[in-house]
Amino acid sequence: MAPAAADDDEGASALLGLLQRVQSEALRALGPHDFDPKFYVDLPLATDERAADDALAALPRPAPSRAELDDFLSRYFGDPGSDLVPAVPPDFEAEPRGFLPRVHSPEARAWALEVHALWKRLARRVAPDVAARPDRHTLLPLPGGVVVPGSRFREVYYWDSYWVVRGLLVSKMYDTAKAIVLNLVYMLEKYGFVPNGARSYYINRSQPPLLSSMVLEVYRATRDVEFVRKVFPSLLKEHNFWMSEIHNVAIADNHGQVHNLSRYQARWNKPRPESATIDEELASKVNSMAAKEKLYSEIASTAESGWDFSSRWMRNSSDMTTLATTYIIPVDLNTFIFKMELDIAALAKLVGDNATSENFLKASRARHIAIDSILWNSEMEQWLDYWLPADADCQGVHEWKSNSQNRNIFASNFIPLWLNAYHSGLVRFADEAKSKRVMASLKASGLLHAAGIATSLTNTGQQWDFPNGWAPLQHLIAEGLLHSGSEAKILAEDIATRWVRTNYAAYKSTGAMHEKYSVTACGESGGGGEYKPQTGFGWSNGVVLSFLEEFGWSEDKEIACSGKVLTKG
């Protein structure tokens, strides 16, 4: 098992306790309208923690005024994000040599260079004081330069970094991409896994595991074997983390064959510090302390999935207290771990460790069989999340039941297609005939819209539901389709074209790249969830650049929105 999490570190725990009390006081002072609890746990302490705590206790009751709160914050804290300093990456060039050779449209090319230039605005270095005085910062010290998503996301995030790396490689910023990977490896070595993000309040959980995919992409772009050799042992540690008993679930199929698959499970049963006031309000709807702790655990485990939040994880899509993520075997998580096993097999061979390579090829074959035995639904021609019974003993062997597959349609049902892009001369994850049936299922699913792939079919007000589309989901599915036969290539390019156009239109109207977009209309940014829509934006930039690299853009191809709607059958 990995080392214990956040509250075992006395300094981090004391600071987080103080900042959560500040957060609660700020909510009393300001009210819930436009209140962002994360702002307060990102405050760097500018003085002694005890002095700040005494001053907090001395604030007027029942609540300070906005002016009194602002005065208190300015006296005892720095601004959120001030412990990260802007730093132009040394390998940034305004127009890199060999940049997007297949983009011939002057309009598309000019915009792509503007998106490329955003790396300068999102690049940071951790201020020296973070390492010198860790008791004053929730930010974690990192050895290299970082690229943040943007806006309220002032720190590094794990799974975001994969698409940031993909974009940086298109931008020929190989050293910056390597630094991002090495920062994640640094945290992995320190905590035993890659945390959700580079804050002390994120070290109770991970995020979708894509570190090996980043290493592979960096190697493919640079052919730097020494870089692979340096980080390779850490990839084995991450695999061990995801194989540990808290994540592993054993299921016997109809033939009695036992398969091992993985689930999300955070090691946390309290409110998330960055959203504590929100979590406490939700938990007020359940009665016992045990029920509250279980709910907090499910909330944190859902955050580990990256899909926070979605009807995908709820027994009742209109009731967040019914989150049940730890009872779900997710299609995408097992896709990512299969990919990790394939990556480690390939990278082990590269560094001359043939025995490890063979072991991981064997593990990937077992997971391939498990995914197709437990998660594949031949009637729907999709892979479906599998739900464990509510009274399940998660350490036992479960018996597979067909009605335990979640037949609701989510974009995640199609993510295993991504594996077709990475078979490295081995058997493709889904052969061409099966891929064709999956593609037909996607076309008929209702997920395809004017501006891309919807996350789900249900508008719940959660951000990982309809009508939002997210850059990672577009990229995973389109990249898979691109390697799934000639007909699928056409759909892949169609999806990429619509996604590039909606990003372009929104950029032209708002001057920004957005975290998420509505798929119902070209150029419309997304909404919903527990915080305001954000701009910046790391993974959106990376996916646009990757799509332009993969598909190009001809001189006569219109980049402005067009009225045509994606085929639905």
Side-chain angles (χ1 to χ4, degrees):
M1 282 294 295
D7 57 356
D8 284 355
D9 182 324
E10 211 170 292
S13 183
L15 177 60
L16 268 176
L18 167 64
L19 293 176
Q20 282 182 250
R21 291 191 292 278
V22 171
Q23 184 190 82
S24 297
E25 195 66 35
L27 179 61
R28 279 192 287 272
L30 306 177
H33 183 65
D34 286 346
F35 180 78
D36 185 359
K38 185 177 183 295
F39 177 94
Y40 300 94
V41 292
D42 290 356
L43 294 167
L45 190 58
T47 183
D48 178 66
E49 181 254 326
R50 185 168 293 177
D53 211 3
D54 289 345
L56 176 65
L59 286 173
R61 292 290 177 265
S65 67
R66 180 182 289 271
E68 288 164 335
L69 178 67
D70 288 346
D71 180 61
F72 163 73
L73 294 177
S74 65
R75 281 172 182 268
Y76 294 96
F77 300 93
D79 293 331
S82 61
D83 39 11
L84 278 165
V85 294
V88 176
D91 54 355
F92 175 84
E93 293 178 20
E95 185 160 3
R97 189 174 176 184
F99 180 68
L100 297 179
R102 297 172 58 211
V103 175
H104 302 297
S105 157
E107 203 176 357
R109 187 167 195 83
W111 174 58
L113 285 167
E114 288 185 48
V115 174
H116 160 73
L118 293 174
W119 298 132
K120 283 196 301 183
R121 286 173 42 188
L122 297 173
R124 308 277 190 278
R125 286 196 76 84
V126 177
D129 191 58
V130 175
R133 296 297 306 266
D135 56 319
R136 292 189 172 187
H137 303 267
T138 58
L139 192 70
L140 301 179
L142 295 173
V146 306
V147 174
V148 299
S151 298
R152 77 194 285 270
F153 300 113
R154 308 171 182 93
E155 53 285 310
V156 167
Y157 284 80
Y158 180 9
W159 81 311
D160 295 58
S161 295
Y162 173 71
W163 288 279
V164 169
V165 164
R166 291 293 298 261
L168 289 169
L169 294 176
V170 173
S171 293
K172 314 299 181 187
M173 295 171 66
Y174 304 131
D175 290 342
T176 301
K178 286 178 184 177
I180 286 173
V181 173
L182 292 173
N183 285 333
L184 298 176
V185 166
Y186 169 83
M187 290 192 285
L188 198 165
E189 290 297 325
K190 185 169 183 180
Y191 300 107
F193 63 99
V194 183
N196 183 145
R199 291 274 178 188
S200 60
Y201 53 72
Y202 283 144
I203 63 174
N204 55 65
R205 59 184 187 262
S206 188
Q207 257 193 337
L210 288 164
L211 180 60
S212 69
S213 292
M214 296 181 227
V215 173
L216 183 70
E217 294 301 331
V218 168
Y219 172 73
R220 287 167 69 165
T222 65
R223 299 292 160 182
D224 186 343
V225 179
E226 286 312 306
F227 174 77
V228 174
R229 204 181 301 280
K230 181 176 183 177
V231 302
F232 182 74
S234 301
L235 301 182
L236 302 180
K237 289 183 183 177
E238 182 176 42
H239 187 264
N240 284 340
F241 170 75
W242 286 102
M243 295 304 101
S244 65
E245 63 181 20
I246 66 165
H247 293 117
N248 188 69
V249 180
I251 300 188
D253 64 22
N254 283 341
H255 306 290
Q257 178 71 41
V258 176
H259 302 278
N260 289 287
L261 288 167
S262 304
R263 61 174 171 164
Y264 293 110
Q265 179 150 282
R267 297 161 305 143
W268 196 250
N269 61 359
K270 306 170 192 173
R272 293 166 297 156
E274 75 279 11
S275 301
T277 51
I278 296 170
D279 291 356
E280 286 162 359
E281 183 183 355
L282 181 64
S284 69
K285 298 176 182 177
V286 299
N287 296 323
S288 71
M289 183 50 69
K292 290 179 191 294
E293 289 181 352
K294 180 59 181 162
L295 176 58
Y296 292 142
S297 174
E298 294 298 337
I299 291 169
S301 299
T302 310
E304 185 169 66
S305 79
W307 284 49
D308 42 336
F309 292 93
S310 169
S311 60
R312 183 181 171 199
W313 312 114
M314 302 178 204
R315 298 187 190 278
N316 174 350
S317 64
S318 62
D319 184 357
M320 278 270 288
T321 67
T322 67
L323 282 169
T325 308
T326 64
Y327 293 88
I328 297 169
I329 300 174
V331 168
D332 44 2
L333 173 59
N334 286 282
T335 298
F336 298 142
I337 296 176
F338 173 90
K339 171 73 160 51
M340 184 198 304
E341 289 162 348
L342 266 194
D343 293 342
I344 291 174
L347 296 168
K349 198 167 186 181
L350 194 66
V351 300
D353 188 346
N354 291 331
T356 296
S357 179
E358 197 51 52
N359 286 341
F360 276 86
L361 273 180
K362 188 176 175 185
S364 73
R365 284 193 287 267
R367 191 169 296 270
H368 190 169
I369 293 166
I371 289 170
D372 279 348
S373 299
I374 305 303
L375 307 179
W376 173 250
N377 185 292
S378 56
E379 182 188 328
M380 292 178 65
E381 304 285 6
Q382 299 172 23
W383 294 270
L384 306 180
D385 292 341
Y386 187 88
W387 282 62
L388 302 172
D391 59 353
D393 169 12
C394 286
Q395 301 311 314
V397 176
H398 305 278
E399 285 189 24
W400 185 86
K401 292 181 173 65
S402 61
N403 62 0
S404 292
Q405 289 184 328
N406 182 358
R407 287 175 167 254
N408 293 320
I409 292 174
F410 300 95
S412 51
N413 297 9
F414 300 94
I415 283 178
L417 279 178
W418 183 53
L419 299 170
N420 283 352
Y422 295 95
H423 54 88
S424 305
L426 304 167
V427 176
R428 200 153 50 176
F429 188 83
D431 63 31
E432 192 160 341
K434 184 173 183 174
S435 297
K436 197 169 181 176
R437 297 196 306 273
V438 175
M439 181 187 67
S441 180
L442 174 60
K443 283 183 171 182
S445 68
L447 291 174
L448 303 182
H449 286 266
I453 303 169
T455 309
S456 77
L457 301 181
T458 311
N459 189 342
T460 61
Q462 301 297 340
Q463 62 172 352
W464 287 84
D465 272 317
F466 185 84
N468 285 344
W470 293 80
L473 303 183
Q474 316 300 313
H475 188 253
L476 291 165
I477 294 171
E479 191 166 70
L481 288 167
L482 182 60
H483 296 85
S484 298
S486 55
E487 198 181 334
K489 276 184 186 176
I490 296 167
L491 181 58
E493 185 163 6
D494 201 8
I495 290 165
T497 296
R498 289 165 195 284
W499 191 252
V500 169
R501 281 180 176 151
T502 202
N503 280 253
Y504 176 81
Y507 183 90
K508 287 298 178 181
S509 65
T510 66
M513 296 290 286
H514 296 261
E515 178 194 22
K516 54 188 177 277
Y517 296 83
S518 169
V519 298
T520 58
C522 186
E524 191 175 309
S525 60
E530 63 181 18
Y531 55 82
K532 282 181 169 181
Q534 303 296 298
T535 59
F537 196 88
W539 64 17
S540 298
N541 307 351
V543 167
V544 158
L545 293 174
S546 294
F547 276 162
L548 290 172
E549 172 99 337
E550 287 178 301
F551 296 98
W553 205 275
S554 63
E555 192 169 355
D556 59 351
K557 185 173 179 177
E558 184 61 59
I559 195 167
C561 296
S562 69
K564 187 185 161 198
V565 178
L566 271 168
T567 308
K568 295 194 178 182

